[in-house]
Amino acid sequence: MKVVDGQQMTAQWLKMNRLSIGPQLRTNSVLVVYLLLLFFSTGQSKLIGSSQPIVATVGDDIILPCHLEPAVDVTAMTLEWTRSDLDPRYVLVWRSAQDLVNAKHPSYKGRTSLFTDELKHGNISLKLSKVKPADEGKYQCYIVKLDEGSLVELVVGAAASPVISIAGIEGDKGGVVLQCESKGWYPEPELLWLDAEGKILSAGPTETVRGPDDLYTVSSRVTVEKRHSNNITCRVQQRNINQIRETQIKFRDDFFNSLSSSAAATVAVSVCLAVCILFILLLVFFLWKIKNKIKSKTPDKNNHATKNLSKSKTQGQVSVKEERESLMTNESVQMKVFNKEEEPKKTKNQLQEEIQRMETNNTEMDTCLISQSSADTDIIMEVDKYGKYIRLRNQSHEEKTMTGWKLKLQINNKKPLIYTFQSSSILKAGETFTLWIAGHGGAHSSTEQVWFGLKPWNSKDTLQFTLITNNREIPYDPVYVL
Ligand SMILES: *[C@@H]1O[C@H](CO)[C@@H](O)[C@H](O)[C@H]1NC(C)=O
């Protein structure tokens, strides 16, 4: 059994309280001073921008920071982002909790916005997308009601790697003229030629050209001689945007020797020539051999193709359509033979397989025509030649809900017909959805529907499809049935 001594407990209690009274008092006084400070400063929250310039590269999406300290909810206030050197000077105006798009300077339309969720925390940072060189400047964020503003400077840069090329040879001096060019800088960069030790070489003047996109192209030439090192660097740099790009060219140790002594040069040239001629002879020989090989195979293959074609002719009825296709097949066979010259390794079996594959492709072509949209879409349309069905194929990796989608079909130049997909029509990733023309198939599964009141089309009709999804119209290339 535990016995508690009341006296001891009281003493302990007193001790504890005495000990804790000191710090508690101190904390309280700090709090009071802080509250007093807050009280006197709330009258004037300060807008804080950025003391450092914001450095961006052309094409970037960036944030120009600006926030109130201490934070105040500014959602309902009128906020402005301006550039005093512009007319109109507004980059963004926020009034009645709305972005006043029409007040903006035209060059910022569609490119500036606020982080609306941040406004309640007094954060009025500006989002600027697709930065251009002309965006460079001093921006002011301003809150009308508080008459508070702050400046943020934006520096826009663009950098690109230089390219070195050989511009000429100065035989008398035994030197090579190198040219270095770098396109797409902003602001104007400087160009330097350096040797292997990093020493600056004396070069011709730097030529600078400013393009219509405001970007600079710089170029310069230098003559490199034997007394220079074998390693030459072209450096293009822009300090304000902290960008350096370099390209190096290396010469063989004996390069300049051979250049300076014309005899050596002649020897080098003749050796090179001899090697080249030998190489060409070898190439011709190989090509000739390959050609012979193919010649021995070609008749056999053509026979095979013709045999198959005549087979298909006897099976089906000979129509204009089929003759066209036969022509097509022959053409593709010839093309294949031509290709064979480039890749002579394929065996006879592989060739036959390929021809078979081509034929299967053709049979597929017999039942449907494929229409692809030139717009950016993942949906391909397969149209039956005989007007039995239209099939949509989802080439993407996401499922598409087609509820409310419409398919517009214009046959020749007649009035367009419109089909509206029934609710809960779903086009699964990689799968198809078949729209049967009434009388040719039924809606037996969730990926089939029937288009009533549409007559099958005929040969010589031109079909023009437009798929109308929830937010856009996707035109498809016309299908010529023939
Ligand atoms: C303001 O909002 C932007 C965008 O969300 C954020 O990047 C930035 O850090 C915020 N600033 C402050 C001071 O919270």
Side-chain angles (χ1 to χ4, degrees):
M1 194 195 268
K2 200 180 174 188
V3 182
V4 181
D5 184 350
Q7 225 174 340
Q8 208 183 327
M9 262 183 84
T10 318
Q12 235 165 26
W13 185 87
L14 278 171
K15 208 164 131 198
M16 265 169 63
N17 276 283
R18 216 181 307 138
L19 274 175
S20 61
I21 278 168
Q24 216 165 22
L25 248 182
R26 241 175 284 147
T27 324
N28 283 343
S29 48
V30 167
L31 200 76
V32 167
V33 170
Y34 180 72
L35 281 175
L36 277 174
L37 271 175
L38 250 184
F39 177 78
F40 285 112
S41 60
T42 36
Q44 203 49 55
S45 277
K46 286 255 173 267
L47 258 185
I48 319 274
S50 171
S51 52
Q52 299 282 86
I54 305 294
V55 178
T57 307
V58 169
D60 281 354
D61 291 354
I62 52 141
I63 296 174
L64 298 183
C66 183
H67 70 279
L68 260 187
E69 228 169 67
V72 170
D73 184 352
V74 294
T75 314
M77 298 184 191
T78 299
L79 316 170
E80 293 175 359
W81 274 93
T82 56
R83 247 180 82 182
S84 56
D85 56 334
L86 289 185
D87 181 28
R89 62 199 172 97
Y90 299 106
V91 172
L92 181 135
V93 181
W94 177 266
R95 188 180 299 155
S96 317
Q98 269 184 1
D99 179 353
L100 298 189
V101 178
N102 289 331
K104 272 180 213 185
H105 187 280
S107 78
Y108 288 100
K109 282 207 174 123
R111 293 200 300 135
T112 54
S113 57
L114 296 177
F115 296 91
T116 43
D117 290 340
E118 293 282 340
L119 298 180
K120 55 180 175 288
H121 305 127
N123 182 352
I124 64 169
S125 298
L126 180 79
K127 182 177 175 194
L128 174 60
S129 43
K130 299 197 193 90
V131 168
K132 301 191 251 190
D135 292 343
E136 182 163 295
K138 290 200 172 75
Y139 291 73
Q140 192 194 32
C141 52
Y142 182 69
I143 301 179
V144 177
K145 187 174 159 194
L146 309 177
D147 187 25
E148 255 302 307
S150 183
L151 283 178
V152 181
E153 187 179 355
L154 175 65
V155 174
V156 178
S161 292
V163 176
I164 298 179
S165 55
I166 293 178
I169 290 178
E170 289 187 353
D172 49 334
K173 280 197 230 158
V176 175
V177 183
L178 298 180
Q179 153 127 356
C180 177
E181 185 179 75
S182 189
K183 289 179 183 171
W185 281 83
Y186 191 87
E188 184 181 348
E190 60 181 326
L191 188 157
L192 302 169
W193 287 99
L194 308 169
D195 66 8
E197 284 86 49
K199 280 197 226 107
I200 294 177
L201 298 175
S202 68
T206 301
E207 278 181 43
T208 306
V209 180
R210 193 166 190 183
D213 48 5
D214 283 343
L215 300 180
Y216 290 94
T217 297
V218 285
S219 62
S220 161
R221 289 184 174 195
V222 71
T223 304
V224 182
E225 290 163 35
K226 198 193 164 189
R227 60 188 174 85
H228 297 118
S229 58
N230 294 340
N231 252 341
I232 305 290
T233 300
C234 173
R235 173 186 291 172
V236 184
Q237 60 187 27
Q238 208 332 307
R239 288 174 205 279
N240 298 344
I241 59 164
N242 236 341
Q243 297 287 338
I244 297 179
R245 299 292 150 93
E246 292 183 342
T247 298
Q248 200 174 58
I249 187 167
K250 282 184 189 173
F251 296 102
R252 277 192 331 264
D253 286 339
D254 56 348
F255 179 81
F256 291 102
N257 286 336
S258 60
L259 258 184
S260 52
S261 123
S262 61
T266 324
V267 168
V269 167
S270 19
V271 166
C272 178
L273 219 81
V275 169
C276 284
I277 289 173
L278 197 71
F279 181 76
I280 289 170
L281 280 177
L282 271 174
L283 198 78
V284 167
F285 175 71
F286 272 113
L287 279 177
W288 175 75
K289 257 188 112 175
I290 287 162
K291 211 173 160 189
N292 269 2
K293 239 195 220 160
I294 279 167
K295 254 192 199 152
S296 60
K297 277 178 195 168
T298 315
D300 183 58
K301 205 173 343 125
N302 270 345
N303 276 348
H304 179 88
T306 332
K307 214 163 64 202
N308 271 295
L309 285 173
S310 45
K311 205 166 70 195
S312 67
K313 270 185 199 174
T314 42
Q315 278 171 355
Q317 284 181 337
V318 183
S319 66
V320 182
K321 237 175 325 195
E322 263 174 9
E323 262 166 23
R324 279 174 61 90
E325 256 149 39
S326 324
L327 278 174
M328 262 172 59
T329 323
N330 270 337
E331 264 167 30
S332 16
V333 169
Q334 271 161 20
M335 248 169 60
K336 287 285 166 189
V337 172
F338 179 73
N339 282 343
K340 283 290 108 38
E341 278 184 348
E342 290 169 359
E343 16 171 357
K345 277 187 215 137
K346 287 208 173 139
T347 64
K348 213 167 152 182
N349 278 347
Q350 279 173 315
L351 275 177
Q352 273 176 359
E353 262 173 35
E354 234 160 298
I355 289 168
Q356 250 156 26
R357 225 178 301 139
M358 272 156 41
E359 278 162 5
T360 16
N361 279 346
N362 279 341
T363 34
E364 269 174 28
M365 286 292 285
D366 207 43
T367 54
C368 72
L369 297 155
I370 293 181
S371 182
Q372 245 168 324
S373 171
S374 45
D376 167 39
T377 174
D378 304 319
I379 300 168
I380 286 187
M381 207 172 290
E382 295 169 13
V383 183
D384 179 55
K385 215 169 191 175
Y386 307 110
K388 292 182 190 156
Y389 61 82
I390 299 156
R391 194 166 279 157
L392 300 181
R393 188 178 290 277
N394 182 355
Q395 301 270 93
S396 76
H397 300 292
E398 341 171 324
E399 185 173 286
K400 315 251 176 189
T401 308
M402 299 196 292
T403 307
W405 287 20
K406 291 186 169 72
L407 183 62
K408 190 161 87 181
L409 165 58
Q410 185 170 24
I411 301 180
N412 303 323
N413 288 323
K414 289 185 208 138
K415 190 167 163 265
L417 303 156
I418 291 176
Y419 179 81
T420 306
F421 289 92
Q422 288 160 25
S423 60
S424 70
S425 310
I426 295 220
L427 187 48
K428 290 207 183 98
E431 294 192 9
T432 59
F433 185 97
T434 307
L435 189 55
W436 292 102
I437 309 307
H440 292 284
H444 301 299
S445 72
S446 60
T447 58
E448 290 175 292
Q449 276 169 29
V450 182
W451 188 339
F452 291 100
L454 180 66
K455 278 197 225 135
W457 41 84
N458 289 316
S459 58
K460 299 205 176 66
D461 277 340
T462 309
L463 315 178
Q464 176 86 60
F465 290 96
T466 309
L467 189 60
I468 302 162
T469 69
N470 297 329
N471 46 27
R472 64 180 190 142
E473 292 201 3
I474 307 163
Y476 280 77
D477 296 337
V479 175
Y480 304 99
V481 179
L482 288 171

